[in-house]
Amino acid sequence: MGYISVLTHSFADGYNRDFERLFGGGLERYIFRLCQVIRDIGHIPEVHQLSYYEAFHRTIEEIEVFGYPYDPDHIPQAFDEMASRARGPLIYASCIWHPLNYAPGSLGICHGINWDRHNLPAAAKREIAGSIQRALDQLDTLVSVDSHFLTYCRAACTYQDPHQVVLIPNSVDTEYFKPVHLMLGDTDADKTIDEQALRKKVKGRTAYLHHGDEEQDGEQQDQEHEGEFNSPADLNAAIEAPDLQDADDSSNQKSIRLLFPRRISLERGIIPMMLASDRLLGAYPTLTIEFAGERVEGSTIGKTFEIWRKHHPHKDRIYAKSYKFDEMLLAYQQADIAVIPTIFSEGTSYACLEAMSCGLPVVAGNVGGLNDIVQDGFNGLSVPPVEENIVAAICRLIDDDELRERMGNQARQTALAYDDHKWELAWKTVLQHHLSRKARKERILLR
């Protein structure tokens, strides 16, 4: 038994200087689960991460975590320092879009392309392409969570071994995240929520982190949390947008709950979601919308969201909560529609898979790995992530009970193809093959 060292930009909550807990994002959850797999194959996981404040050393959920202060302009040097202090073979779990110096015989992970912005300068895209080629030149294996990065590598880079990039999509615990009627053992059409019964079902689930989603570079995050609205006056103009004209009286009487199970951040589509909410809340008087995700304290986008919610004319129908992971099931099962309006930087979204596994139809941005799992018109609606398209798709689902039910059932069936057990088996195979190959190389060098 030996160590395996995971290098990343985020694991413990360095954004809010709360080093005692894991940050509630998809990257952090992914690393946590990977550490469990590392234990399952008989090794000891440790995590080395960047710290936006001071150095730290903590043990969280039996995982040793080391934090390193760094200069945002010198991320490769920070990874060099982490690698020099690691006690085992290395897994580079983020920042592959930077020109890192990879230790020989290492493994890397791409959690989704985060440079998929039409207005990113061409020079920046060329630099990123060079960094990805550098990763392929130096890493033994590179795991991708969606087909888009695999295609990107094939199209923009050159590498000799077709097996060097391994596709392992993200996954979901389909036994835990499931429709309420399955959880309560009710096969009838009535799916009325019994919250107390649900709480008994989820009681005891390990609350190892707050719920959130996907990877985000720390340096980018500071820039991408810059919102479009900075005062109540700016927000009021958006709030006063004209109500929809095509919602009929019968539709207005429906009690529908939308769920936005994402971090409150720019790349997750919070701005188009807020704009869409303005119109939908005005058009459907019984509609409620829940925002279920973490915020970075003090960020511009977080402040913008709070101002918007506080001053909204329909604030009594807007809910916001940062759920613990063991509570998130309740949010899904009390919702009718999930909205995943990502505008860039998306792998195979945990939130999307969880919502689908719970039998929710999904309105999703046609971005990144979402295109791998959301089939437009079958298990959800896939749209360009702008206000008009999001509103139209949500209205279509609100106004058609049969469509919601059919897509929700098919979403559940889709999620079964992404079950956790397949993910765990795939990662065990990759790790065992990687460690065996590394051991063979070391024996050859010792001869």
Side-chain angles (χ1 to χ4, degrees):
M1 178 183 290
Y3 285 96
I4 294 181
S5 305
V6 180
L7 312 185
T8 182
H9 74 268
S10 178
F11 189 56
D13 185 3
Y15 298 116
N16 298 303
R17 210 174 193 171
D18 187 358
F19 305 133
E20 304 300 327
R21 75 175 185 101
L22 305 186
F23 186 70
L27 168 68
E28 294 80 8
R29 287 175 54 195
Y30 191 104
I31 293 172
F32 181 88
R33 295 175 63 229
L34 182 58
C35 287
Q36 293 176 313
V37 173
I38 290 170
R39 282 203 190 97
D40 288 346
I41 65 171
H43 291 264
I44 304 169
E46 65 173 17
V47 176
H48 299 257
Q49 70 168 86
L50 304 182
S51 172
Y52 308 107
Y53 299 97
E54 67 272 16
F56 66 86
H57 178 202
R58 299 287 191 277
T59 299
I60 305 176
E61 297 292 335
E62 301 181 350
I63 302 169
E64 272 196 278
V65 184
F66 302 86
Y68 299 76
Y70 77 106
D71 180 341
D73 293 327
H74 297 92
I75 287 177
Q77 290 83 348
F79 271 78
D80 289 345
E81 183 180 2
M82 290 193 289
S84 70
R85 299 191 184 184
R87 292 176 286 187
L90 303 181
I91 299 176
Y92 291 83
S94 69
C95 292
I96 63 166
W97 54 93
H98 290 283
L100 304 184
N101 302 308
Y102 298 97
S106 297
L107 189 150
I109 307 172
C110 178
H111 296 272
I113 293 173
N114 70 350
W115 56 94
D116 53 338
R117 283 169 281 174
H118 64 280
N119 58 353
L120 191 68
K125 292 188 178 185
R126 287 192 294 271
E127 289 178 9
I128 291 169
S131 294
I132 302 305
Q133 182 65 62
R134 183 188 185 94
L136 289 166
D137 290 342
Q138 297 182 22
L139 291 170
D140 276 8
T141 302
L142 189 48
V143 172
S144 173
V145 306
D146 61 61
S147 66
H148 295 258
F149 179 71
L150 176 59
T151 300
Y152 177 88
C153 290
R154 288 172 172 165
C157 303
T158 302
Y159 51 104
Q160 298 304 312
D161 182 359
H163 303 294
Q164 186 179 357
V165 183
V166 179
L167 177 61
I168 305 180
N170 286 348
S171 62
V172 60
D173 184 345
T174 58
E175 283 299 307
Y176 179 68
F177 290 101
K178 56 186 170 183
V180 63
H181 65 288
L182 295 181
M183 173 159 282
L184 298 178
D186 177 15
T187 58
D188 296 331
D190 181 14
K191 300 182 182 180
T192 302
I193 300 294
D194 181 343
E195 185 169 329
Q196 291 303 316
L198 288 177
R199 288 190 182 280
K200 288 180 182 179
K201 289 285 186 179
V202 303
K203 187 178 180 181
R205 179 78 173 185
T206 302
Y208 58 84
L209 51 87
H210 287 74
H211 184 84
D213 228 359
E214 312 310 336
E215 175 179 2
Q216 185 63 30
D217 174 49
E219 180 184 1
Q220 286 183 327
Q221 196 163 39
D222 290 338
Q223 301 168 356
E224 291 159 3
H225 281 149
E226 294 298 317
E228 297 177 10
F229 311 127
N230 291 292
S231 70
D234 293 333
L235 293 169
N236 285 339
I239 292 170
E240 292 170 1
D243 291 343
L244 300 176
Q245 301 298 315
D246 57 354
D248 60 28
D249 291 338
S250 62
S251 295
N252 286 345
Q253 302 307 310
K254 296 173 183 176
S255 179
I256 297 291
R257 189 179 185 93
L258 299 185
L259 178 66
F260 176 85
R262 317 308 315 275
R263 275 204 323 265
I264 307 302
S265 60
L266 186 64
E267 76 282 358
R268 296 292 165 245
I270 186 60
I271 297 298
M273 184 64 193
M274 289 160 60
L275 294 172
S277 298
D278 294 336
R279 300 180 62 189
L280 292 163
L281 289 165
Y284 297 94
T286 59
L287 178 71
T288 59
I289 303 177
E290 179 170 20
F291 293 82
E294 289 214 44
R295 293 183 291 281
V296 175
E297 294 299 327
S299 67
T300 301
I301 201 73
K303 292 177 182 176
T304 298
F305 175 76
E306 286 305 319
I307 293 171
W308 173 80
R309 189 166 68 98
K310 181 179 179 180
H311 294 274
H312 204 284
H314 304 297
K315 62 184 178 183
D316 58 322
R317 291 188 282 130
I318 301 173
Y319 303 94
K321 180 177 179 180
S322 180
Y323 284 85
K324 292 183 179 179
F325 182 69
D326 65 334
E327 299 172 336
M328 193 61 201
L329 179 62
L330 295 171
Y332 290 120
Q333 292 187 330
Q334 293 179 86
D336 297 288
I337 301 166
V339 189
I340 315 287
T342 305
I343 59 176
F344 65 92
S345 186
E346 188 69 88
T348 39
S349 163
Y350 279 133
C352 187
L353 287 171
E354 290 165 2
M356 293 172 73
S357 189
C358 288
L360 292 181
V362 174
V363 173
N366 58 353
V367 171
L370 290 171
N371 292 320
D372 285 352
I373 52 181
V374 179
Q375 303 301 312
D376 185 49
F378 176 72
N379 53 18
L381 298 174
S382 178
V383 299
V386 295
E387 175 193 351
E388 290 295 333
N389 301 95
I390 294 168
V391 168
I394 292 173
C395 287
R396 183 179 169 191
L397 288 173
I398 289 176
D399 295 336
D400 193 331
D401 297 345
E402 182 180 346
L403 181 66
R404 283 201 315 277
E405 183 174 0
R406 184 175 74 249
M407 286 189 177
N409 290 336
Q410 289 165 171
R412 168 66 181 176
Q413 294 304 309
T414 301
L416 294 174
Y418 292 85
D419 185 75
D420 262 349
H421 297 297
K422 295 182 179 180
W423 183 90
E424 292 171 2
L425 180 60
W427 255 111
K428 286 178 181 178
T429 300
V430 166
L431 284 173
Q432 288 168 339
H433 176 73
H434 176 73
L435 293 172
S436 296
R437 184 168 59 178
K438 185 176 179 64
R440 286 196 301 271
K441 288 181 179 179
E442 290 174 351
R443 285 196 297 269
I444 291 171
L445 291 174
L446 291 173
R447 289 178 182 174

